[in-house]
Amino acid sequence: MGFLGFILLGLIAGAIAKAIMPGKQGGGWIATLLLGVVGAILGGWLGSVIFNKGLEEFWDLSTWLLAIAGALVVLFIWGLVTKRTAH
């Protein structure tokens, strides 16, 4: 996957993670992009360690699931750090 594909994957995965996670996360599209990119990196790393499956192809379902799961983990940790969890 190329650089632009990875950025697009991060932006979309971050937006989906924000839509799934309850509560108000705040931040604009740049924060969502950073969340998604960091989440995709984390999800790809965890996927390669646990499932022997990384972020290989843009259109592969496992790539999207790993990126979204990683973004959810990052968003959850960010909520704990900033104390913006769901009330």
Side-chain angles (χ1 to χ4, degrees):
M1 178 178 356
F3 178 74
L4 291 178
F6 193 75
I7 296 295
L8 183 61
L9 172 71
L11 180 62
I12 295 171
I16 291 171
K18 279 187 166 185
I20 292 172
M21 186 73 73
K24 181 170 173 44
Q25 291 85 25
W29 68 272
I30 294 176
T32 304
L33 173 68
L34 292 174
L35 161 75
V37 168
V38 172
I41 292 169
L42 176 66
W45 178 76
L46 287 175
S48 66
V49 169
I50 296 172
F51 303 115
N52 199 24
K53 184 78 172 167
L55 304 177
E56 296 158 359
E57 294 292 326
F58 184 80
W59 296 109
D60 191 10
L61 180 62
S62 64
T63 296
W64 286 92
L65 293 177
L66 288 172
I68 293 168
L72 284 169
V73 169
V74 171
L75 188 58
F76 177 75
I77 292 171
W78 181 254
L80 290 176
V81 169
T82 62
K83 302 293 184 202
R84 292 183 184 163
T85 57
H87 298 303

